[in-house]
């Protein structure tokens, strides 16, 4: 396969996202501009400009591909119309916004505020009113619910919605994961999962379980409802992002040593590869090594036919999987399939 | 100015069209005959995706023409995603491949003339003491019966005289069995599959018929040299004899693309 390099950002990439149909890719970086790309050929549809004053930490798109939302270091949360790139609304929150995400049906918005500028750190839930055609017709100026960091615990780093917007799962600076009620913001469950900062949380396609990645070199699969750790994956480098592939039972994680340590070591030690693990057998099955720096974010298309990674090097690389990816099976899977096939001819006779 | 007749379109029996048009170029009247076959390809696309494909560009791309902008979108270098059940196996696989390439490279590069083994130079042959610098045992025997065998084995006994490589000590006779093996493929792991559907090419056989088998080094469909149409025979080489045997049991008598296959062991050419 030949990756498509998308070089629309001048600084490192902070997040990449697919829309629901997998035909558009949304990316944001530290250069205050977000980009929208066609996934089929890597063509840029446009940029979302003049909304933020600094780093963009996060971007998301709703399920209808009507609106995108960005959150940045200027404490702003901006909603954009995807079709023409125009700004719809901007909220000014209390501190830099690390993560933004639309709820699955698009009527809520979560924003993770950092523990900076005298703020303790929080998850803000903002209500958005939509009409039957999913157009936004109104919004609350102030967050409806604000889940502030409880004193004595580490502030939240990443958060995401579960199915139906029922829960919010969050990853904290000290490696804890927590679950909140999606409507009231009430703390439901908490668990110590990692030893260090949790860098990313991404849910499965049906939003019933999620993957966490951490700087302590581990990735975990956790069930949303029971909060039970389903699987654990050990890697050889600090992780920045991970995703669960639909279609095949794999996970893809990426990371690398900290950006500030890169200059003192050679690229070979960097471990800047995207690593493929088998979701069930928990073994590493392959690697793709093409970034010059650590991978900051990874996303897989909801159709499971391509994945995109954004790196500290400022490049976004889009990989359309080729045949051997779809064909790959473990021997046990293969023999099970072969047995099924052997049965077929005898049935005909 | 001479008149130019209108182009004519003739529908051919096989569904193609012949377009005959005339044009004038440099004062000469030219007749252009084109044969065109129209194929309708239907592609199913989600309605919303199709609508989004037509959106106008905005922001920094507002004035860009349609299609990828070369300053922002580039094709990266070709890379292969190799997948193996574990990283250890993956690394072992890679090391094995490297070793193989290395060995093959060495084999073609040089070969010891003393013992005939690839991988080391004649001057560094470990059997030098035993076999002598450039001669073999038979060579030492040669002077004993010079009278009878001199014409058959002149060899390097007289220095400076040209000896063809095939006759040099350690050199291989082109008619020997060693070369014969290379010319003929090992048929032990090959099956001959007959009564195949004409439309089944190598890819379909590999993907539809032989999916239970992990690696298939070679699938060759026998085709008519002129028309390129399949003759319904294919030779399939498997990675092991055991696998070939399972395949033989599985494939013989099985229905595939409306025909009942017949599989047998491939026999060497006579």
């Amino acid at each position: 396969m030949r990756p498509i390099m998308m070089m629309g950002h001048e600084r490192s990439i902070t997040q990449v996202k697919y829309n629901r149909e997998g035909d558009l890719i949304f990316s944001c970086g530290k250069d205050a501009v977000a980009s929208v790309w066609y996934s089929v050929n890597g063509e840029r549809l446009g940029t979302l400009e003049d909304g933020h004053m600094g780093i963009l930490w996060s971007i998301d798109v709703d399920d209808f591909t009507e609106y995108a939302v960005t959150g940045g270091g200027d404490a702003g949360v901006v909603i954009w119309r995807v079709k023409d790139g125009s700004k719809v609304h901007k909220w000014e929150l209390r501190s830099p916004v690390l993560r933004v995400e639309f709820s699955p049906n698009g009527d809520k918005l979560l924003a993770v505020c950092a523990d900076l500028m005298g703020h303790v750190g929080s998850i803000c839930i903002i209500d958005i009113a939509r009409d039957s055609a999913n157009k936004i017709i109104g919004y609350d100026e102030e967050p409806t619910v604000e889940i502030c960091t409880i004193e004595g615990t580490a502030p939240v780093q990443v958060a995401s919605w579960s199915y139906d917007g029922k829960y919010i799962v969050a990853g904290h600076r000290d490696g804890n994961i927590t679950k909140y009620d999606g409507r009231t913001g009430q703390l439901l469950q908490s668990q110590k999962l990692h030893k260090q900062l949790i860098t990313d949380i991404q849910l499965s396609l049906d939003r019933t379980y999620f993957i966490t990645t951490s700087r302590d070199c581990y990735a975990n699969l956790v069930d949303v409802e029971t909060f039970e750790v389903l699987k654990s994956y050990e890697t050889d480098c600090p992780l920045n992002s991970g995703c669960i592939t639909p279609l095949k039972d794999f996970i893809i994680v990426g990371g690398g040593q900290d950006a500030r340590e890169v200059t003192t070591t050679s690229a070979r030690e960097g471990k800047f590869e995207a690593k493929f693990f088998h979701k069930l057998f928990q073994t590493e099955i392959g690697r793709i090594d093409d970034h010059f720096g650590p991978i900051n974010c990874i996303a897989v298309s909801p159709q499971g036919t391509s994945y995109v990674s954004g790196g500290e090097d400022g490049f976004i690389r889009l990989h359309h999987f080729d045949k051997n990816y779809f064909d790959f099976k473990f021997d046990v899977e293969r023999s099970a399939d072969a047995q099924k096939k052997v049965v077929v001819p005898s049935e005909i006779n | 100015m001479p008149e130019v007749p209108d182009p004519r379109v003739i529908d051919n029996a096989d569904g193609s069209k012949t377009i005959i048009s005339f044009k004038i170029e440099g004062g000469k009247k030219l007749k252009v005959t084109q044969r065109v076959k129209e194929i309708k390809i239907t592609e199913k696309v989600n309605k919303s995706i199709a609508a989004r494909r037509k959106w106008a560009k905005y922001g920094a791309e507002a004035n860009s023409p349609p299609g990828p902008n070369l300053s922002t979108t580039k094709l990266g270098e070709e890379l292969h995603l190799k997948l193996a059940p574990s990283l250890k196996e993956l690394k072992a696989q890679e090391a094995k491949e490297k070793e193989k390439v290395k060995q093959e490279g060495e084999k073609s590069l040089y070969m010891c003339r003393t013992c005939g083994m690839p991988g080391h130079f004649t001057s560094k042959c470990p059997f030098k003491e035993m076999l002598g610098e450039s001669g073999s045992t038979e060579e030492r025997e040669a002077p004993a019966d010079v009278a009878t065998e001199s014409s058959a084995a002149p060899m390097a006994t007289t220095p400076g005289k040209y000896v063809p490589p095939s006759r040099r000590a350690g050199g291989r006779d082109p008619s020997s069995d060693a070369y014969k093996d290379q010319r003929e493929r090992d048929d032990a792991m090959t099956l001959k599959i007959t009564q195949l559907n004409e439309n089944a090419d190598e890819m379909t056989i590999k993907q539809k018929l032989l999916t239970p088998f992990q690696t298939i080094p070679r699938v060759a469909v026998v085709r008519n040299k002129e028309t390129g149409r399949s003759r319904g025979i294919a030779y399939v080489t498997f990675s092991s004899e055991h696998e070939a045997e399972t395949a033989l049991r599985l494939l013989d008598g099985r229905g595939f693309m409306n025909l009942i296959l017949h599989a047998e062991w491939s026999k060497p050419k006579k």
Side-chain angles (χ1 to χ4, degrees), chain A residues 3 5 7 21 38 42 47 82, chain B residues 52 58 60-61 72-74 76 85:
Chain A
M5 283 170 71
M7 306 167 292
E21 284 82 19
Y38 286 113
T47 52
V82 179
Chain B
R52 286 199 280 273
Y58 52 81
E61 299 281 339
T72 56
T73 308
K74 252 203 317 208

Side-chain angles (χ1 to χ4, degrees), chain A residues 62-67 81 105-106 129-137:
Chain A
D62 62 10
D63 268 3
F64 324 105
T65 323
E66 288 281 345
Y67 300 98
R81 200 168 283 119
N105 58 1
R130 293 191 185 232
D131 64 7
S132 55
N134 300 315
K135 299 267 184 267
I136 291 179
I137 47 173

Side-chain angles (χ1 to χ4, degrees), chain A residues 224-240:
Chain A
V224 168
E225 196 65 47
T226 62
F227 234 45
E228 204 177 295
V229 179
L230 303 171
K231 297 279 174 190
S232 188
Y233 310 90
E234 190 187 353
T235 66
D236 52 2
C237 70
L239 297 177
N240 286 337

Side-chain angles (χ1 to χ4, degrees), chain A residues 252-273:
Chain A
I252 311 172
V253 293
Q257 59 193 174
D258 217 341
R260 67 187 137 208
E261 286 164 25
V262 169
T263 47
T264 56
T265 44
S266 75
R268 202 152 185 83
E269 292 163 40
K271 319 268 191 207
F272 303 143
E273 308 102 339

Side-chain angles (χ1 to χ4, degrees), chain B:
Chain B
M1 183 126 179
E3 285 253 319
V4 180
D6 287 333
R8 273 189 298 156
V9 179
I10 304 160
D11 287 314
N12 297 328
D14 61 345
S16 64
K17 280 177 185 171
T18 307
I19 304 170
I20 300 167
S21 56
F22 299 89
K23 62 176 178 181
I24 289 159
E25 215 173 77
K28 278 182 186 168
K29 196 168 147 189
L30 297 174
K31 181 183 173 188
V32 183
T33 311
Q34 291 168 298
R35 217 172 147 196
V36 187
K37 189 165 187 183
E38 283 174 12
I39 302 167
K40 201 181 242 174
I41 298 166
T42 41
E43 195 185 351
K44 278 189 185 164
V45 183
N46 190 319
K47 215 187 243 175
S48 57
I49 293 178
R52 286 199 280 273
R53 272 308 311 183
K54 293 197 187 90
W55 283 358
K57 291 185 178 181
Y58 52 81
E61 299 281 339
N63 302 317
S64 315
N69 186 340
L70 286 180
S71 65
T72 56
T73 308
K74 252 203 317 208
L75 268 183
E77 275 171 36
E78 176 82 40
L79 52 86
H80 295 281
L81 172 61
K82 277 184 209 142
L83 296 174
S86 72
L87 194 65
K88 231 186 220 171
E89 271 179 57
L90 197 75
K91 281 193 174 147
Q93 226 178 57
E94 263 170 35
K96 217 172 163 185
E97 265 169 41
K98 243 182 219 171
E99 187 72 14
K100 208 174 155 191
V101 169
K102 206 175 152 195
Q103 266 183 7
E104 273 172 8
E106 276 175 0
K107 210 185 265 177
S108 58
L109 274 177
Y110 53 83
M111 188 199 273
C112 172
R113 266 178 287 141
T114 310
C115 64
M117 293 278 284
H120 63 263
F121 291 110
T122 313
S123 58
K124 290 194 177 136
C125 181
F127 309 107
K128 198 157 70 176
E129 299 294 311
M130 229 168 17
L131 300 173
E133 183 90 33
S134 60
S136 63
T137 40
E138 51 177 313
E139 198 182 311
R140 262 185 241 141
E141 284 161 13
D145 41 9
V146 173
T148 52
E149 292 282 314
S150 60
S151 59
M155 301 274 168
T157 40
T158 46
K161 203 176 170 192
Y162 175 73
V163 182
S166 58
R167 307 200 110 194
R168 277 177 206 161
R172 285 200 263 164
D173 184 2
S175 62
S176 75
D177 286 345
Y179 280 90
K180 205 173 164 193
D181 285 352
Q182 277 178 15
R183 279 198 303 270
E184 275 173 18
R185 267 197 212 88
D186 184 17
D187 279 326
M189 299 180 291
T190 305
L191 291 186
K192 180 184 180 185
I193 301 171
T194 51
Q195 294 178 56
L196 265 172
N197 192 309
E198 267 185 15
N199 297 323
D201 62 353
E202 281 88 346
M203 278 311 265
T204 21
I205 293 174
K206 240 183 181 175
Q207 285 169 14
K208 300 234 170 96
L209 190 64
L210 304 170
T211 29
F213 303 99
Q214 203 168 359
T215 45
I216 293 140
R218 191 176 74 103
V219 177
V221 171
V222 181
R223 293 171 192 286
N224 185 316
K225 249 184 207 166
E226 264 143 42
T227 62
R229 274 172 73 178
S230 161
R231 288 177 56 194
I233 303 167
Y235 290 91
V236 181
T237 308
F238 292 86
S239 50
S240 72
E241 214 164 313
H242 175 73
E243 215 163 273
E245 212 176 309
T246 347
L248 178 71
R249 260 185 283 131
L250 176 65
L251 295 178
D252 198 19
R254 196 195 147 168
F256 179 64
M257 290 171 87
N258 301 326
L259 292 176
I260 293 166
L261 298 181
H262 179 73
E264 59 186 329
W265 291 105
S266 161
K267 288 170 206 114
K269 241 185 206 170
K270 270 160 205 159

Side-chain angles (χ1 to χ4, degrees), chain A residues 108-124:
Chain A
K108 282 190 176 74
L109 192 66
L110 77 74
V112 173
C113 292
D115 58 325
L116 292 167
M117 296 156 65
H119 185 53
V120 289
S122 63
I123 303 172
C124 297

